[in-house]
Amino acid sequence: MSVHRIVIPPQKPFIQSLKSSLKETLFPDDPFRQIKKQPASRKCILGLQYFIPILEWAPRYTFQLFKADLIAGITIASLAVPQGISYANLARLPPIIGLYSSFVPPLVYAILGSSKDLAVGTVAVPSLLIASILEKEVNPHDNPKLYLQLVLTTTFFAGVFQAALGILRLGIIVDFLSHSTIVGFMGGAATVVCLQQLKGILGLVHFSQATDLQSVMHSVFSQVHQWRWESAVLGLCFLFFLLLTRYFSKRKGYFFWINAMAPLTSVILGSVLVFLTQAEKHGVEVIGHLKKGLNPLSVSELGLGPPYLMTTVKTGAIVGIIALAEGVAVGRSFAMFKNYHIDGNKEMIAFGMMNIAGSCTSCYLTTGPFSRTAVNYNAGCKTAISNIVMSTAVMITLLFLTPLFYYTPQVVLSAIIMAAMLGLIDYGAAIHLWKVDKFDFLICISAYLGVVFGSVELGLVLAVALSLLRILIFVARPRTFYLGNLPNSMIYRNVDHYSHANKVPGLLILQIEAPIFFANTNYLRERISRWINEEEEKLKSTGESTLQYVILDMSAVGSIDTSGISMLEEVKKEIDKRGLKLVLVNPQSEVIKKLDKSKFIETIGQQWLYLTVGEAVAACEFMLHTGKETSVDGEFDSQVKV
């Protein structure tokens, strides 16, 4: 029987290896590969098309595509106007800021974004985050001008942070927000947002600035005598209407437009009802006057100095990451439906630039909300031109139609927010997490409870901390398995998984299932020692043959550091003291290079390295039966050259 040889990969210079690693980390898609192959006359054009995606598809744009985008843009504009006003209210901002935020950012995204379906606008969770953090520094009612300045500055730093991540190709940071973290955090934030809307539904004037459940419930039930039944009836009726249209649209997908038009319909009906009944005189609060005109410049409003600089930088980083996670996830989801690819780093740059531009034109944080994007997708959008159509519709509203919103009741806006937020509480996903992975469910429920009973920041920190803890546990406590032979084969598998797998007499075959780093070397050394002790005790108690070889299957060990090599050297010394032999199987390329450089291969002996577990077992059994380590008449070649 011949044995395949383990070959050490050719050594590369350090600079070349570092360059290769950085390229794979930052540019895994090698975006400039096609540009390099082009003649010099085309490189400039292709470069511009790469950084400004609209230049790539605009020359092929047709009237047929425009008709589809026109319908989609008008449809999402009907949703953007009421949502913009509602979410501005959630962020403790004047309603007009919400309309401003649906004009400039979509134009910027249409030029720089790579998604055909993403519809840009304000979103609830970042709006709540901004309010919950900044109102601790400045009361939006006592000093609205300073509060608005802080919000615009926060938006600016969020944009800078997002664009920097995209330019530096550091989108990996967003990946630390796991699926379970987002499900729990979004669900908790949606619950908190719904609870906050009880102020508008019940017509309360004074309400808790805190977002935790206890504070909100105290505000609600300590003011029972101030509840306005007129406001409550109106709010519950519109909430029922919005939920009913959503339910109907889900049952009949081609009626998606009913759900899309429901918020604007609610605003119109609510305004007409208040105007006809003069309900504002009976405790139903209305929006009031909205200033006509396009976005005023706000560059001079950015507070880039003390005393609130660090607050706005911190808030910008937090809401920037949350907005990125939501926007990129939504964009990728809908791109998958249409079978095209979006560049995550391009999206980060696009989000960053539109928020930087927005902060200079009286807009606050925007991203790609799921609800608006779903409507855009279902309306049949073909390109990002639908965002330009929506922006144009909002521009017309700002120029001519803002007086029509004077009688819009705040309670209708609260109902619109509550209806949108109830869709973010994904209890089905939480149940799925419980069935599949209990630790993921723990992360999810911790994020949810942290947001609901603590604060939005606490829930986010708790969820991210638990996610990182899981990574650390995986790295620091890698699993090791006892392998046995499947009958009538050369296949070796975990004996706990495959109960019919047979243990090989005289051999302890272990598989290590993680890279070996300084964080897990002590654990692995102790765990291997315990495996050996347990196996020797079992063999001694049963009177079977004594243990002779310890085989470590390193197929799953993708990398190793100097601490890991030192650990292997210590394991080798301990095994030698016991009179056993250490055998290594299939070290990966990076591992074998480092073992060779550290002279560990010379220490262990070349004849104790094998490519497969089957070959290692066959060689060890041959040695056990013959007492020889070299082939006899070609029966077995145990000399494996490295």
Side-chain angles (χ1 to χ4, degrees):
M1 174 183 176
S2 62
V3 181
H4 297 94
R5 297 174 179 175
I6 293 179
V7 179
I8 298 177
Q11 301 294 331
K12 295 181 180 179
F14 173 73
I15 296 299
Q16 187 178 350
S17 298
L18 179 62
K19 181 180 178 181
S20 177
S21 299
L22 288 176
K23 181 180 178 181
E24 184 61 28
T25 301
L26 302 179
F27 300 95
D29 52 348
D30 195 6
F32 305 111
R33 182 178 63 256
Q34 295 300 325
I35 297 178
K36 293 175 184 176
K37 298 178 181 179
Q38 300 296 326
S41 58
R42 286 280 297 163
K43 285 184 178 179
C44 181
I45 296 174
L46 293 175
L48 285 173
Q49 289 178 346
Y50 176 79
F51 290 107
I52 307 176
I54 195 173
L55 297 178
E56 193 273 328
W57 54 263
R60 303 191 305 272
Y61 197 69
T62 65
F63 182 70
Q64 293 298 322
L65 294 176
F66 176 71
K67 287 194 295 185
D69 287 335
L70 179 64
I71 295 172
I74 293 173
T75 305
I76 56 176
S78 68
L79 182 63
V81 171
Q83 275 192 350
I85 295 173
S86 302
Y87 293 154
N89 186 48
L90 184 62
R92 311 287 192 268
L93 293 169
I96 193 66
I97 300 296
L99 291 180
Y100 290 159
S101 301
S102 294
F103 174 47
V104 173
L107 294 176
V108 178
Y109 183 82
I111 297 171
L112 299 177
S114 61
S115 173
K116 301 175 183 178
D117 303 284
L118 204 69
V120 171
T122 55
V123 280
V125 174
S127 298
L128 175 67
L129 264 172
I130 288 172
S132 65
I133 298 175
L134 294 184
E135 67 185 0
K136 294 176 182 178
E137 302 291 332
V138 176
N139 191 307
H141 301 290
D142 297 341
N143 199 339
K145 185 176 180 180
L146 177 58
Y147 180 79
L148 175 59
Q149 181 181 351
L150 294 186
V151 172
L152 294 176
T153 309
T154 294
T155 302
F156 173 79
F157 282 119
V160 170
F161 188 73
Q162 292 170 333
L165 288 180
I167 293 170
L168 298 175
R169 315 284 293 187
L170 295 177
I172 190 174
I173 293 176
V174 180
D175 294 338
F176 280 98
L177 293 175
S178 64
H179 173 67
S180 54
T181 298
I182 293 175
V183 169
F185 176 75
M186 289 296 187
T191 302
V192 167
V193 170
C194 289
L195 293 173
Q196 288 283 319
Q197 300 319 301
L198 292 175
K199 174 187 177 183
I201 296 292
L202 299 174
L204 298 174
V205 177
H206 303 289
F207 206 75
S208 172
Q209 298 293 332
T211 59
D212 62 282
L213 180 64
Q214 182 180 357
S215 300
V216 172
M217 290 296 98
H218 181 267
S219 287
V220 170
F221 290 104
S222 64
Q223 304 180 76
V224 175
H225 58 287
Q226 295 184 20
W227 290 8
R228 308 293 301 191
W229 69 267
E230 302 93 337
S231 180
V233 169
L234 190 63
L236 291 175
C237 287
F238 277 107
L239 180 59
F240 176 76
F241 168 71
L242 291 165
L243 294 177
L244 184 64
T245 57
R246 176 190 295 170
Y247 175 78
F248 183 74
S249 296
K250 284 185 176 180
R251 293 290 298 272
K252 305 289 184 180
Y254 46 84
F255 285 130
F256 73 93
W257 55 270
I258 295 178
N259 185 41
M261 297 295 292
L264 185 59
T265 303
S266 299
V267 168
I268 295 172
L269 291 177
S271 301
V272 171
L273 187 62
V274 169
F275 176 75
L276 294 177
T277 62
Q278 299 295 302
E280 77 275 13
K281 297 179 180 179
H282 301 283
V284 177
E285 187 180 355
V286 297
I287 288 179
H289 175 69
L290 289 180
K291 184 173 63 174
K292 291 172 66 174
L294 299 181
N295 302 32
L297 293 177
S298 55
V299 179
S300 60
E301 298 295 321
L302 299 180
L304 304 179
Y308 300 107
L309 179 62
M310 292 310 300
T311 299
T312 53
V313 170
K314 179 193 74 171
T315 310
I318 293 173
V319 298
I321 288 181
I322 296 299
L324 272 184
E326 181 173 357
V328 173
V330 169
R332 284 176 174 168
S333 299
F334 285 93
M336 182 179 62
F337 295 151
K338 289 187 177 179
N339 196 30
Y340 70 92
H341 173 72
I342 67 171
D343 188 322
N345 289 294
K346 281 186 186 177
E347 290 296 282
M348 292 176 191
I349 295 173
F351 289 154
M353 296 308 296
M354 76 184 188
N355 280 313
I356 292 172
S359 67
C360 299
T361 51
S362 301
C363 307
Y364 82 105
L365 190 77
T366 52
T367 185
F370 179 83
S371 58
R372 203 177 297 188
T373 303
V375 169
N376 194 33
Y377 174 83
N378 288 321
C381 71
K382 299 300 181 183
T383 69
I385 292 295
S386 60
N387 277 289
I388 297 178
V389 174
M390 176 189 70
S391 180
T392 304
V394 172
M395 178 189 71
I396 294 171
T397 302
L398 287 168
L399 289 173
F400 306 109
L401 304 180
T402 50
L404 299 179
F405 294 98
Y406 181 90
Y407 288 101
T408 301
Q410 293 282 1
V411 66
V412 171
L413 301 181
S414 295
I416 291 172
I417 293 175
M418 289 186 74
M421 290 302 97
L422 289 174
L424 290 180
I425 304 175
D426 195 350
Y427 59 87
I431 294 173
H432 179 72
L433 290 174
W434 170 259
K435 291 179 179 178
V436 175
D437 192 317
K438 299 298 189 293
F439 199 99
D440 267 349
F441 176 79
L442 175 63
I443 294 173
C444 174
I445 202 67
S446 298
Y448 181 85
L449 296 177
V451 172
V452 173
F453 291 98
S455 65
V456 178
E457 306 98 292
L458 175 63
L460 181 61
V461 169
L462 191 60
V464 173
L466 284 172
S467 297
L468 292 176
L469 177 62
R470 180 169 197 177
I471 295 174
L472 291 175
I473 290 175
F474 175 77
V475 172
R477 294 293 181 268
R479 293 181 294 178
T480 55
F481 303 110
Y482 193 132
L483 302 184
N485 176 241
L486 298 183
N488 302 317
S489 75
M490 292 288 286
I491 300 172
Y492 291 80
R493 291 292 183 267
N494 181 3
V495 295
D496 292 329
H497 184 190
Y498 295 86
S499 57
H500 59 290
N502 300 318
K503 296 182 179 180
V504 183
L507 277 65
L508 173 61
I509 311 171
L510 301 177
Q511 183 180 51
I512 302 174
E513 202 184 51
I516 302 177
F517 290 111
F518 63 92
N520 59 30
T521 52
N522 287 332
Y523 170 78
L524 282 174
R525 182 178 58 252
E526 294 170 2
R527 188 70 186 98
I528 292 171
S529 180
R530 275 189 285 132
W531 275 115
I532 296 172
N533 290 334
E534 291 169 5
E535 185 66 13
E536 287 184 331
E537 289 174 4
K538 286 180 184 178
L539 293 175
K540 188 180 296 184
S541 63
T542 58
E544 298 179 15
S545 58
T546 58
L547 185 62
Q548 298 290 326
Y549 297 94
V550 177
I551 300 176
L552 295 183
D553 181 2
M554 302 180 69
S555 301
V557 181
S559 59
I560 191 171
D561 66 358
T562 53
S563 298
I565 295 172
S566 298
M567 182 273 293
L568 289 178
E569 291 171 347
E570 292 174 14
V571 169
K572 172 71 168 57
K573 291 177 182 178
E574 181 180 353
I575 288 176
D576 288 344
K577 289 179 181 178
R578 295 171 181 259
L580 308 176
K581 292 291 185 180
L582 175 64
V583 182
L584 299 185
V585 172
N586 196 27
Q588 299 299 302
S589 59
E590 290 300 314
V591 177
I592 196 68
K593 280 195 292 186
K594 291 183 180 179
L595 293 181
D596 180 54
K597 288 181 179 180
S598 66
K599 306 300 182 183
F600 181 76
I601 292 177
E602 293 182 11
T603 302
I604 192 175
Q606 295 182 357
Q607 68 271 29
W608 304 111
L609 289 172
Y610 293 89
L611 193 58
T612 68
V613 175
E615 291 176 351
V617 171
C620 292
E621 288 181 330
F622 176 83
M623 297 172 201
L624 283 174
H625 294 150
T626 64
K628 299 178 181 180
E629 295 185 4
T630 57
S631 60
V632 178
D633 297 328
E635 278 187 80
F636 195 90
D637 179 14
S638 64
Q639 296 292 335
V640 182
K641 297 182 180 180
V642 181

